[in-house]
Amino acid sequence: MAAGWLTRLAGDRIEVRSAGSEPAEAINPVAVEAMAEVGIDITDQRPKILTTEAVQASDVVITMGCGDACPIFPGKRYEDWKLDDPAGQGIEAVRPIRDEIRDRIETLIAELDAR
């Protein structure tokens, strides 16, 4: 959902990479539904493993609880976003998560644009 929001709100101003330390087999269908409700199609996305190379190539690394599994490099900006896990949740529970992610993405974009 974060990559979908960032792609929509930042356009081509920010290169988006999305990966996880323990990616699922498929995108959560309820997350797909929640994003579709706001006009963002994430059906073409696939879970990917977070690689050291992806972190090295990034200026900002947003994690969502990967802890020690995420590689750390000097000079990178790291943020760990504590969010409820949408896995196994219904649409009513996923909507507020989606909206919180949007709010965080809007803040991140504003901060990056100000640099």
Side-chain angles (χ1 to χ4, degrees):
M1 288 190 288
W5 277 121
L6 186 54
T7 300
R8 166 64 61 86
L9 298 172
D12 61 358
R13 296 190 330 264
I14 298 173
E15 181 180 347
V16 179
R17 294 182 182 93
S18 179
S21 57
E22 295 180 24
E25 292 293 318
I27 299 290
N28 180 335
V30 181
V32 171
E33 179 185 354
M35 294 302 285
E37 289 180 347
V38 295
I40 300 174
D41 181 4
I42 61 171
T43 58
D44 63 339
Q45 298 301 304
R46 300 289 172 259
K48 299 175 274 316
I49 190 74
L50 179 67
T51 65
T52 301
E53 294 77 19
V55 174
Q56 285 178 313
S58 299
D59 296 319
V60 179
V61 180
I62 305 297
T63 60
M64 296 178 191
C66 73
D68 293 338
C70 292
I72 304 292
F73 294 97
K76 307 290 179 191
R77 173 180 166 183
Y78 291 87
E79 289 186 28
D80 187 48
W81 291 357
K82 305 271 189 265
L83 297 164
D84 291 334
D85 188 349
Q89 303 290 331
I91 192 69
E92 294 298 325
V94 174
R95 285 181 185 127
I97 299 167
R98 173 200 65 201
D99 296 344
E100 182 177 353
I101 292 170
R102 180 200 60 226
D103 293 344
R104 289 175 185 241
I105 291 293
E106 287 173 341
T107 299
L108 177 64
I109 292 169
E111 291 170 358
L112 294 174
D113 284 346
R115 294 195 308 170

